[in-house]
């Protein structure tokens, strides 16, 4: 994992997972083909033998000189690799003559014959030809499109092994980026049932022959893969998507064609409230008008009584963002009621909310433990979003101040505070690295700072502002162990001590791992 990140091209974000490797679907049956005979080389040059399938790929010349280095490996060559661990993107990581090799679908302790598909100065990418030694942790993926749609990376691995691998990903990140060889790592919070947990689906609409499908684009392509029966989606969400496709077929609602840029419906978004079982349904369209919207709403109401909102979001541009700026409620309630513990939320179609509520409660309980509140503290929640963490902590603090750059999120946070009857949480629009020093200059110094940044981590000016404001406790929630470890190193140098790290498996069957850590001022 770490080696691959280290050797990415300059300018890319460490651990972002943006680099896509071409490989056969993870967990799919491997083609057991015999190695081809080596091509004859010109006299005096080494010739390659592929008959020896032991732990190294030997290269010999007529004079029986020692094997060549890994630097001579070319795309298309066959190599034998022992897999050491799982990388940050779910790939198997091994070494060929001390050079890192990344192989999708390979598991720790497996010995695989692989074809080299990419050669970089610091690493190789390979695809499995044959698994010579199979891991007992390997299992048959239950999803028929696993490895094609790209949504999951670890279905071919037992769940217990997934949890172990994710702990190792966190440990490796801190060893590499924070130079901490032995971190106070707590056991990961897993799920009793690691399936059917996602409360929201946003699927691209398209056609496969004459049929309407809803799904994701295969990695590195414009081929749409239907995943409307996805096993990690909530069953109610899957049911709604299936019935909606049927209604669209009956009414001949035109779906958007990416190639011709014709049609109306681009994306179908369904979100279920865990507490109520009610569903918010949104059609994202490339046009101002949704054809036959009246009959569409009527049939949805007839067949899907759990749907309480049918909305249209208009997205005409070529932006990679899913939603456009304008949303119209075609029928029903403007917001979906949801709750986490005692905190209530009113979610508009565009509002962000955690996708796995059960694991979110575990995460927020750990945040509360880390904050160590007695009722007299001022808590600053940077990157507060719609206020979920701040509102969770508010009953245990004297005051919570949330900071968020996106105006709509600030308004949602204020609405959520009202819905929950929370009077001691206040939310501010702006940048934390500017507001925090301003408050400190006016004598408003936080006792606890909580940060939950995007994958790229905290901006350096914010880390500097935190160090200068000297809160007693810092609680850092992260969706990227690599950037978490890098930021941790900055805070260690700024006078903080790492107390503990808690991984949380927010998205089973994927390579994603959430973490939070507690740092205290020395």
């Amino acid at each position: 994992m770490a080696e691959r990140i280290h050797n990415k091209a300059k300018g890319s974000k460490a651990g972002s997972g943006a680099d896509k490797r071409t490989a056969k679907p993870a967990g799919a049956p491997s083609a057991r083909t015999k190695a081809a005979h080596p091509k004859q080389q010109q006299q005096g040059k080494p010739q390659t033998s592929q008959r020896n399938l032991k732990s190294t790929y030997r290269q010999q010349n007529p004079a029986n000189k020692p094997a060549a280095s890994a630097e001579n490996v070319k795309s298309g060559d066959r190599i034998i690799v022992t897999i050491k661990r799982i990388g940050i993107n779910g790939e198997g990581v091994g070494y060929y003559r001390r050079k890192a090799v990344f192989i999708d679908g390979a598991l720790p302790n497996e010995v695989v014959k692989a074809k080299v598909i990419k050669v970089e100065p610091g690493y190789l990418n390979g695809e499995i030809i044959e698994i010579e030694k199979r891991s007992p942790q390997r299992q048959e993926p239950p999803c028929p499109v696993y490895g094609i749609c790209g949504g999951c990376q670890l279905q071919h691995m037992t769940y217990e092994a997934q949890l172990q691998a994710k702990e190792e990903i966190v440990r490796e990140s801190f060893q590499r980026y924070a130079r901490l060889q032995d971190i106070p790592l707590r056991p990961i919070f897993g799920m009793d049932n690691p399936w059917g947990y996602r409360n929201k689906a946003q699927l691209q609409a398209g056609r496969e022959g004459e049929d309407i499908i809803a799904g994701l684009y295969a990695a590195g392509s414009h081929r749409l893969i239907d995943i409307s029966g996805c096993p990690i989606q909530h069953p109610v969400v899957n049911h709604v998507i299936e019935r909606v496709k049927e209604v669209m077929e009956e009414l001949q609602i035109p779906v958007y064609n990416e190639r011709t840029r014709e049609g109306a419906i681009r994306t179908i978004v369904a979100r279920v409230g865990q507490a109520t079982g009610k569903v918010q349904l949104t059609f994202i369209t490339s046009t101002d008008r949704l054809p036959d919207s009246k009959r569409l709403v009527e049939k949805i109401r007839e067949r899907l009584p759990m749907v309480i909102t049918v909305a249209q979001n208009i997205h005409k541009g070529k932006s990679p963002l899913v939603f456009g700026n304008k949303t119209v409620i075609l029928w029903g309630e403007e917001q979906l009621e949801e709750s986490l513990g005692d905190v209530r939320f009113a979610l508009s179609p565009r509002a962000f909310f955690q996708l796995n509520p059960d694991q979110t409660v575990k995460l927020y309980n750990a945040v509360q433990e880390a904050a160590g509140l007695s009722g007299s503290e001022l808590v600053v929640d940077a990157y507060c979003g719609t206020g979920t963490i701040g509102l969770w902590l508010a009953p245990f603090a004297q005051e919570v101040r949330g900071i968020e750059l996106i105006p709509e999120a600030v308004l949602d946070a204020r609405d959520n505070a009202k819905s929950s009857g929370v009077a001691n949480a206040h939310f501010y629009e702006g940048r934390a690295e500017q507001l925090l020093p301003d408050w400190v200059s006016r004598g408003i110094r936080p006792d606890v700072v909580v940060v939950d940044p995007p994958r790229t981590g905290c901006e350096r000016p914010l880390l500097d502002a935190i160090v200068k404001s000297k809160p007693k406790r810092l609680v850092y929630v992260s969706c990227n162990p690599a950037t978490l470890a890098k930021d941790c190193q900055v805070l260690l140098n700024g006078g903080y001590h790492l107390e503990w790290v808690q991984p949380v498996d927010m998205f089973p069957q994927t390579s994603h791992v959430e973490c939070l850590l507690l740092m205290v001022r020395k």
Side-chain angles (χ1 to χ4, degrees):
M1 175 268 296
E3 291 83 0
R4 181 170 180 220
I5 296 170
H6 181 70
N7 289 292
K8 282 186 177 179
K10 291 182 180 179
S12 63
K13 296 291 184 181
S16 68
D19 180 35
K20 301 293 183 183
R21 298 171 305 284
T22 305
K24 31 189 340 181
S30 300
R32 295 183 173 271
T33 54
K34 293 183 179 180
H37 286 289
K39 293 181 179 179
Q40 295 295 324
Q41 304 286 331
Q42 293 180 4
Q43 188 174 1
K45 293 185 178 181
Q47 66 179 25
T48 302
S49 172
Q50 298 179 355
R51 299 190 182 196
N52 185 352
L53 301 180
K54 296 186 182 293
S55 61
T56 58
Y57 177 78
R58 300 186 182 279
Q59 295 177 312
Q60 299 176 330
N61 62 22
N64 292 321
K65 291 183 179 181
S69 73
E71 300 307 317
N72 292 336
V73 173
K74 304 180 298 298
S75 183
D77 285 349
R78 269 68 171 171
I79 59 177
I80 303 297
V81 180
T82 299
I83 304 301
K84 300 297 184 181
R85 63 182 183 275
I86 292 294
I88 199 167
N89 297 308
E91 72 277 38
V93 182
Y95 296 89
Y96 177 70
R97 299 192 180 279
R98 298 185 179 181
K99 192 169 189 176
V101 185
F102 304 99
I103 304 174
D104 284 345
L107 295 180
N109 300 315
E110 288 189 331
V111 178
V112 300
K113 183 201 299 184
K115 175 183 176 182
V116 176
I117 58 174
K118 186 177 183 181
V119 178
E120 294 291 341
Y123 66 90
L124 306 172
N125 286 139
E127 64 179 9
I128 295 175
I129 296 175
E130 182 178 350
I131 301 174
E132 298 204 330
K133 179 185 175 184
R134 186 182 180 92
S135 168
Q137 298 173 336
R138 180 173 289 276
Q139 66 178 11
E140 189 65 27
C143 178
V145 295
Y146 174 63
I148 303 174
C149 88
C152 296
Q153 299 82 40
L154 298 178
Q155 283 192 25
H156 63 296
M157 193 178 199
T158 64
Y159 188 53
E160 182 180 357
Q162 290 182 34
L163 297 179
Q164 294 171 0
K166 292 181 182 187
E167 286 183 353
E168 185 57 32
I169 286 172
V170 175
R171 189 176 289 109
E172 168 72 14
S173 295
F174 276 83
Q175 289 172 352
R176 181 167 186 84
Y177 296 111
R179 301 184 181 89
L180 297 176
Q181 298 304 310
D182 186 18
I183 62 170
L185 185 67
R186 293 180 169 186
I188 190 170
F189 289 151
M191 295 192 73
D192 293 334
N193 177 18
W195 302 97
Y197 59 83
R198 288 180 64 100
N199 61 7
K200 178 182 176 183
Q202 46 191 44
L203 306 181
Q204 303 303 308
R207 285 197 174 272
E208 191 171 64
E210 297 298 317
D211 298 327
I212 290 179
I213 61 174
L216 302 175
Y217 289 106
S221 80
H222 290 281
R223 179 190 172 198
L224 189 62
I225 307 297
D226 187 86
I227 65 162
S228 49
C230 176
I232 66 171
Q233 295 284 4
H234 194 291
V236 171
V237 170
N238 283 335
H239 174 72
V240 168
I241 295 291
E242 282 298 316
R243 298 291 84 79
V244 167
K245 290 193 302 179
E246 291 174 2
V247 171
M248 290 172 59
E249 287 277 17
E250 291 175 17
L251 299 179
Q252 298 183 344
I253 305 290
V255 298
Y256 184 71
N257 185 305
E258 188 186 42
R259 183 177 58 82
T260 64
R261 303 197 180 278
E262 297 176 343
I265 295 181
R266 306 173 69 139
T267 310
I268 305 169
V269 183
R271 171 156 55 190
V272 61
Q274 174 143 316
T276 63
K278 295 179 179 179
V279 174
Q280 183 182 72
L281 180 64
T282 305
F283 294 98
I284 300 176
T285 66
S286 61
T287 56
D288 291 312
R289 177 179 171 272
L290 176 56
D292 216 352
S293 60
K294 184 176 180 181
R295 285 204 301 161
L296 178 64
V297 169
E298 288 175 353
K299 288 189 176 292
I300 288 171
R301 293 179 63 186
E302 289 173 3
R303 301 184 192 181
L304 295 168
M306 73 288 292
V307 173
I308 61 166
T309 301
V310 181
Q312 177 191 1
N313 176 268
I314 300 166
H315 184 187
K316 295 181 179 180
K318 299 179 182 180
S319 165
L321 299 176
V322 174
F323 283 89
N325 292 325
K326 183 179 179 180
T327 302
V328 179
I329 304 299
L330 301 177
W331 169 84
E333 301 178 16
E334 290 190 4
Q335 296 174 313
L336 177 69
E337 298 294 330
E338 185 57 291
S339 62
L340 286 174
D342 296 328
V343 184
R344 297 174 61 84
F345 301 92
L347 306 174
S348 61
R350 291 179 59 194
F352 169 80
F353 190 70
Q354 292 284 358
L355 295 173
N356 187 338
D358 287 343
Q359 293 298 90
T360 300
V361 169
K362 296 178 185 178
L363 175 68
Y364 288 2
N365 280 335
V367 170
Q368 180 184 331
E369 177 194 351
L373 302 175
S374 64
S376 61
E377 295 87 0
L378 169 61
V379 178
V380 169
D381 180 11
Y383 301 102
C384 72
T386 56
T388 52
I389 292 179
L391 294 173
W392 190 270
L393 297 178
F396 311 98
Q398 182 176 349
E399 182 186 1
V400 171
R401 294 189 173 205
I403 305 172
E404 174 56 50
L405 188 60
I406 301 172
E408 294 85 354
V410 175
L411 295 176
D412 283 341
R414 292 169 181 168
D415 288 343
N416 291 333
K418 291 179 183 178
S419 299
S420 300
V422 176
N424 66 332
H426 309 96
F427 299 95
Y428 301 82
E429 179 187 339
R431 293 185 177 275
E433 60 267 28
Q434 296 172 353
L435 288 178
L436 186 55
D438 178 59
W439 291 342
V440 171
S441 70
R442 292 188 279 128
I444 305 170
R445 188 179 297 276
D447 301 290
V448 179
V449 170
V450 179
V451 294
D452 185 5
R455 285 189 62 83
T456 50
C458 290
E459 299 288 344
R460 182 58 187 261
L462 175 57
L463 294 176
D464 293 339
I466 291 171
V467 170
K468 290 179 181 178
S469 66
K470 299 180 180 179
K472 297 174 184 175
R473 287 173 173 253
L474 172 69
V475 184
Y476 193 136
V477 180
S478 172
C479 58
N480 186 342
T483 54
L484 172 64
K486 289 179 179 179
D487 289 350
C488 178
Q489 179 64 52
V490 175
L491 295 163
L492 289 170
N493 294 336
Y496 282 85
H497 172 72
L498 178 60
E499 288 288 309
W500 47 262
V501 182
Q502 175 64 68
V504 182
D505 190 20
M506 295 291 287
F507 302 106
Q509 318 308 328
T510 78
S511 58
H512 176 101
V513 56
E514 197 93 0
C515 277
L516 71 96
L517 58 74
L518 168 62
M519 303 191 80
V520 297
R521 187 155 188 85
K522 294 178 183 177

